[in-house]
Amino acid sequence: MSWPLMIVLVAGSYGLKAVGVSSLGGRVERRLGPAVTLLPAALFAALIVIMTFEDAGALTLDARAAGVAAAAVAVWRKAPLVLVVAVAMAVTAGVRALT
């Protein structure tokens, strides 16, 4: 996914949130409510994927991928957020130190 497309999706997501506050909110929310609720989380996940696995337009598997994988395991094990971030940082630093 390209950066301009991400910017358009983010602007659209928050634009729909702004419409929800206006007088059109009732009609729009009935039709798009569930999608608008989930859209920011999906965009954040897409941003993490792009920042982790993309470098100069090519797929890259490096220390960042190992850190995200370790963080995913920590989240799956229901670790607190601070611990998830610490695990991701430690694994990323460890892989960078080894390579």
Side-chain angles (χ1 to χ4, degrees):
M1 185 177 296
S2 66
W3 283 104
L5 180 58
M6 285 285 274
I7 291 170
V8 168
L9 288 174
V10 168
S13 171
Y14 287 104
L16 286 172
K17 292 268 187 191
V19 167
V21 180
S22 72
S23 62
L24 298 174
R27 285 182 269 165
V28 172
E29 189 167 345
R30 280 193 299 274
R31 293 183 182 172
L32 301 176
V36 171
T37 303
L38 297 174
L39 198 55
L43 290 172
F44 186 64
L47 182 63
I48 290 172
V49 169
I50 287 172
M51 291 176 65
T52 303
F53 297 110
E54 188 265 337
D55 188 24
L59 177 66
T60 303
L61 294 175
D62 58 4
R64 296 175 296 180
V68 169
V73 170
V75 167
W76 175 61
R77 302 290 298 168
K78 298 185 183 351
L81 179 63
V82 173
L83 183 60
V84 170
V85 172
V87 165
M89 288 177 6
V91 169
T92 302
V95 171
R96 284 184 178 165
L98 292 174
T99 57

